Amino acid sequence: MSSTTAGSPTVELLASAHRVRIHGMRQFNSLALFMSYGLGMLRPDVAALDSSRQGVADALAQLDVGDVLVVSSCFPYTPSVLATAEVAARHGIRVIALTDSSSSPLAKVALHSFYVPNHSLFFSNSMCAFMLLAQALLSAVASKLGEASVSALKHRESLIDELNASL
């Protein structure tokens, strides 16, 4: 892994970038949704990169130089995720990769990469360690944001309380 502490460059980017989008396909879509939900609880302007409605080009067009795109894939690597990361990096979007090894094509275009072993007896790529990494990154961002993350969580809880009263 390239970065793991609460003061790491990756955590700093996830905490302070103007916009953060998270992208993964197939089973990595669940990781992208989990991370976007968790990070969105802590700070504004976080979402899964929504390619299902208007397409990846339109989703990337919403990002500016300096924004962050977190991508995740491992062997056999989803070609559309690789292309998305490559295009984003060429346009000045800072790419963070959650992938399986330093030889991953995602690692070659990413500013920061995390290498997650995923060998198992499961019939597909194991997601357990990827989910643990996501939780660790989210916890580190919450720690980095400090009171701001606590306030964001309290605000969300108050909205949930209000909505539950009206349902």
Side-chain angles (χ1 to χ4, degrees), residues 28-84:
F28 284 97
N29 185 58
S30 64
L31 180 69
L33 294 175
F34 173 74
M35 284 190 71
S36 63
Y37 175 75
L39 191 58
M41 291 175 73
L42 303 173
R43 50 146 301 168
D45 217 342
V46 174
L49 187 74
D50 187 6
S51 62
S52 65
R53 294 186 183 148
Q54 290 86 25
V56 172
D58 286 324
L60 284 177
Q62 297 173 17
L63 300 178
D64 295 321
V65 170
D67 286 341
V68 170
L69 175 65
V70 178
V71 291
S72 56
S73 188
C74 60
F75 185 81
Y77 311 107
T78 305
S80 64
V81 174
L82 299 177
T84 300

Side-chain angles (χ1 to χ4, degrees), residues 122-143:
F122 187 57
F123 57 84
S124 187
N125 291 314
S126 176
M127 296 302 295
C128 296
F130 281 98
M131 287 295 192
L132 287 174
L133 171 60
Q135 282 187 277
L137 288 170
L138 294 172
S139 294
V141 171
S143 177

